[in-house]
Amino acid sequence: MTDAGAQEADVVVIGGGAAGLMCAHVAGARGLRVRVLERANRVGKKILMSGGGRCNFTNTGTTPANFLSANPHFCKSALARYTPWQFLELVERHGIAWHEKEPGQLFCDESSKLIVRMLLDECARAGVRIDTRCEIGAVDIGDDGRFRVAAGPGRIVAPKLVMASGGLSIPSMGASGFGYELARRFGHALRPTRAGLVPLTLSGKHRERLADLSGVSLPVAAGCNGQVFRGAMLVTHRGISGPAILQISSYWQPGDALQLDLLPDTDVPALLARWQAGRPAAELKTLLAELLPRRFAQRLCEVWLPSRPMRQYTPAQLHRIAALLQAWPLVASGTEGYRTAEVTLGGVATDAVSSSTFESRRVPGLHFVGEVLDITGWLGGYNFQWAWASGHAAGMAV
Ligand code: FDA
């Protein structure tokens, strides 16, 4: 079938984010005519804002265990075929200086702009054409099996279509539910979506008790639903945040209580016994303030742990104090939502997508990559590694 006036391409990639740009330049380098259609005024906005402007572009410790999905096996093949070391090689080839912050977490020394520049240079070298501010209308399949994409005033026809439109987080950066809608229209099931790597909110008495401690930060081990993350917790005006809380937020569901170990590197029963024997006249709140932020220790003792001189506690009371310090229960009322979430959990169900080519099993030629799929990484560079790995696999397969 001819399509008068339509532009022809071999591959149309919808979304010029991490996964889309990776897929585009890999496919372009294979000699294919690739078009990237990006709705925002520029590509890679999330890359630009990531890692505090320095982009935590990968994690050298990436394993499938660092991802949440209804199918934990799905990510294995792509992660094994495009490793953090391969992305690092690309980064080094472009002369981008980097450093390791926390173990495994690699950041740019200068700016995340350099990662976007690198991807754009690779796309330019591979002859990829990128259109920004591109509103996509109808996407249909013609009688010849090719996709017809209404893009702005024109139409593009291509045998391959890659959905790389990401998740719902940070709508002001261009996020949209477009990929999910298109997947559903083409017969794909969706796993329920929710905000992940997101601050948690508190309400009622939980909020009242902590609100004036906003800005206080302490190391914790945050647990929920069988998962535990160590790191800082930050009290905010509306609830709690910080790396440990962002991590556990992806495992938290409304109604779940969090268990917070407030002294994660300490044998708390032994510590309390030592205090009772060695500093019997000292009050619990004074001693706790030596290990925890002072205002936080005071609040704990005002609300949860009656503070007395150590000698006055019975063994049963010490046992209760230790239990509370090691599993302080906090009930979050919700999350800050997509406005501040780093990622979207859930998305296009992976069972109808090939884990090696990322092609739909329902619609030949249709591929899904990156965050639009029901694969979500932990905090720490895993989500970009997923975007690179899935984008690379699809770029090699289209
Ligand atoms: P991504 O969101 O990057 O790209 C999707 C693109 O599609 C966007 O450019 C969007 O505008 C476009 N689009 C959407 N709808 C469209 C439509 N209808 N038509 C055309 N285009 C459309 N991860 C990590 O590993 N290390 C880090 O340091 C950080 N830091 C970080 C900070 C913040 C503030 C956020 C919000 C997120 C992170 N992340 C992160 C997560 C990471 O940014 C994210 O997982 C990847 O960008 C996902 O890559 P994708 O390409 O799948 O989506």
Side-chain angles (χ1 to χ4, degrees):
M1 172 180 153
T2 58
D3 205 331
Q7 301 167 47
E8 303 247 344
D10 295 315
V11 185
V12 168
V13 178
I14 297 183
L21 293 176
M22 173 58 95
C23 176
H25 84 73
V26 170
R30 290 174 47 231
L32 300 173
R33 294 168 301 163
V34 183
R35 294 284 297 266
V36 175
L37 307 180
E38 167 58 53
R39 179 183 178 224
N41 59 349
R42 61 193 297 185
V43 296
K45 280 192 166 184
K46 275 195 195 158
I47 301 174
L48 293 175
M49 74 190 300
S50 68
R54 297 229 161 123
C55 187
N56 177 194
F57 56 79
T58 192
N59 191 306
T60 57
T62 302
T63 72
N66 305 118
F67 294 86
L68 294 90
S69 172
N71 177 2
H73 302 293
F74 183 83
C75 61
K76 287 182 179 172
S77 165
L79 291 175
R81 284 180 296 139
Y82 191 81
T83 67
W85 306 108
Q86 283 166 277
F87 190 76
L88 185 58
E89 194 197 56
L90 183 64
V91 166
E92 292 197 324
R93 211 178 331 125
H94 283 256
I96 300 174
W98 57 274
H99 62 278
E100 185 171 16
K101 207 167 167 192
E102 301 293 322
Q105 298 181 6
L106 307 191
F107 286 74
C108 297
D109 281 0
E110 284 175 41
S111 164
S112 38
K113 283 184 197 158
L114 298 176
I115 298 291
V116 176
R117 185 74 265 153
M118 173 187 87
L119 293 167
L120 285 173
D121 287 349
E122 289 289 326
C123 281
R125 216 166 52 159
V128 173
R129 178 171 159 190
I130 299 175
D131 296 325
T132 53
R133 297 180 201 270
C134 182
E135 276 304 328
I136 295 172
V139 178
D140 299 305
I141 303 174
D143 297 340
D144 58 358
R146 294 191 299 167
F147 296 92
R148 280 156 173 72
V149 182
R155 200 147 20 98
I156 307 172
V157 178
K160 306 281 180 180
L161 180 69
V162 180
M163 279 308 306
S165 56
L168 296 169
S169 57
I170 324 270
S172 57
M173 292 282 132
S176 77
F178 186 80
Y180 305 133
E181 286 153 30
L182 187 126
R184 194 187 288 118
R185 207 157 57 70
F186 282 125
H188 280 263
L190 299 180
R191 303 285 307 169
T193 49
R194 64 192 165 90
L197 300 181
V198 63
L200 296 174
T201 53
L202 302 173
S203 63
K205 64 179 189 306
H206 294 282
R207 182 149 163 195
E208 279 163 32
R209 287 165 175 170
L210 292 182
D212 64 321
L213 299 184
S214 171
V216 168
S217 169
L218 61 152
V220 300
C224 192
N225 291 320
Q227 196 70 38
V228 177
F229 290 98
R230 283 165 171 251
M233 174 180 83
L234 172 71
V235 180
T236 68
H237 286 293
R238 293 159 51 86
I240 45 175
S241 187
I245 300 303
L246 297 181
Q247 294 278 33
I248 205 67
S249 72
S250 295
Y251 290 83
W252 177 88
Q253 298 271 6
D256 291 340
L258 300 173
Q259 273 88 42
L260 298 167
D261 185 343
L262 301 173
L263 294 168
D265 294 313
T266 309
D267 179 344
V268 179
L271 173 76
L272 294 175
R274 261 200 325 278
W275 280 347
Q276 192 166 49
R279 303 171 72 180
E283 275 212 31
L284 179 65
K285 69 175 176 206
T286 313
L287 295 170
L288 280 178
E290 292 173 8
L291 300 177
L292 297 171
R294 189 179 49 80
R295 286 160 63 210
F296 189 84
Q298 273 175 355
R299 184 58 45 83
L300 271 183
C301 290
E302 281 159 23
V303 180
W304 290 275
L305 301 168
S307 180
R308 298 188 211 132
M310 288 306 294
R311 73 160 77 82
Q312 293 183 10
Y313 290 113
T314 65
Q317 286 168 331
L318 287 183
H319 182 76
R320 217 174 51 78
I321 292 167
L324 197 123
L325 289 169
Q326 290 171 300
W328 184 50
L330 199 60
V331 180
S333 57
T335 76
E336 292 278 4
Y338 292 117
R339 193 178 54 82
T340 58
E342 285 201 12
V343 288
T344 303
L345 292 150
V348 177
T350 56
D351 47 5
V353 179
S354 158
S355 63
S356 70
T357 63
F358 289 81
E359 186 171 10
S360 162
R361 296 193 201 284
R362 301 199 188 290
V363 181
L366 176 64
H367 296 247
F368 295 95
V369 293
E371 201 180 316
V372 74
L373 285 162
D374 170 33
I375 304 282
T376 308
W378 292 359
L379 188 78
Y382 303 102
N383 284 296
F384 279 137
Q385 188 54 35
W386 173 245
W388 315 136
S390 57
H392 189 273
M396 293 299 289
V398 284

